[in-house]
Every structure is written in structure tokens, then in C-alpha cells.
Amino acid sequence: MDDGRVQRIEEAVAFADQRADGLDEALRDVADRMMSLVQRLERLESRLSALEQADPGPEGAVDESDPATDRPPHSGRLPGDR
């Protein structure tokens, strides 16, 4: 086999190995970031469930029969369905 051809093949293999190493590192970085996001979401979920279980008391109580509570405040409707 031609020495130049062998050298080009070895260079291509070395380049492929270097690129694969770079991709592995990037994938590990993405996995680490994903894990930190999952942990943050778990903390937020536990805080939210703790808040949901807390008793709102008389000031925080919502009157379910009030039609104003059926619509979000940004719905654009005026009180009294005008």
C-alpha cells in the first residue's frame, strides 16, 4: 500500500476519534445540565405541593360560586359580562 494513502487513513481515523471525544464531552455536559434541571423541578414540585397542602385561611379563601373566579383576569371580560 502507498505510504501517503496509509497516512491519510491514519489522519482520518485520528480526526474521527478527536471528533467523537468532543461529541462525548458535549453529551456529558448536556446530561449534567439536564440532571440539574430535573433536580430543580423536583424541588419546585415539592415546594408547590407543600403550598397546595397549606390552609389558605379566611383571607386567602376563594368563593367558588363567584363567576369572576371562572375566568382568568386577563380574559378581557368586564364584570357583569358586559
Side-chain angles (χ1 to χ4, degrees), residues 3 11 13 19 21-22 24-26 35-36 40 42-43 47 62 64 72-74:
D3 286 337
E11 288 173 356
V13 169
R19 186 167 180 153
D21 290 342
D24 285 344
E25 183 178 337
M35 182 56 81
S36 68
R40 184 175 179 197
E42 288 173 350
R43 287 192 308 269
R47 288 175 56 194
V62 176
E64 296 295 331
H74 60 276

Side-chain angles (χ1 to χ4, degrees), residues 48-69:
L48 182 61
S49 64
L51 289 174
E52 287 174 344
Q53 292 174 0
D55 185 20
E59 292 179 10
V62 176
D63 184 9
E64 296 295 331
S65 64
D66 184 10
T69 60

